[in-house]
Amino acid sequence: MPILNDTTIALLLYVILGGTYLLVVPLALYFWLQKRWYVASSFERAFLYFLVFFFFPGMLVLAPFLNFRPKRREINV
């Protein structure tokens, strides 16, 4: 019985693709959104909206763990 039979390869492929869809790409998308939010062109913004829609399940998985609120401003009087 070989170690990498068809079932093991299929299961491994599902885990890799699922992890990429639910964790890797949404995390990269979060950081891309944070960096480019105020300087993106209209085409890039539409493309970002499409990616957010396409990777929405992964965005929901990561949302509770990420905090992108602006930092507090120092007010000098």
Side-chain angles (χ1 to χ4, degrees):
M1 178 159 204
I3 295 173
L4 289 178
N5 57 14
D6 292 340
T7 307
T8 308
I9 292 173
L11 183 62
L12 187 63
L13 187 61
Y14 273 114
V15 167
I16 290 171
L17 290 176
T20 302
Y21 180 74
L22 290 175
L23 296 174
V24 176
V25 175
L27 188 62
L29 184 57
Y30 265 120
F31 287 112
W32 186 19
L33 283 168
Q34 182 187 19
K35 183 175 178 163
R36 299 284 301 165
W37 185 255
Y38 294 107
V39 294
S41 65
S42 59
F43 178 76
E44 184 180 1
R45 191 171 302 271
F47 183 64
L48 287 172
Y49 290 154
F50 164 74
L51 288 177
V52 167
F53 176 73
F54 191 74
F55 293 103
F56 188 71
M59 302 290 272
L60 283 178
V61 168
L62 292 176
F65 305 107
L66 298 175
N67 179 8
F68 290 121
R69 284 180 270 174
K71 294 184 169 107
R72 291 192 145 207
R73 293 186 300 160
E74 294 287 330
I75 299 176
N76 297 326
V77 177

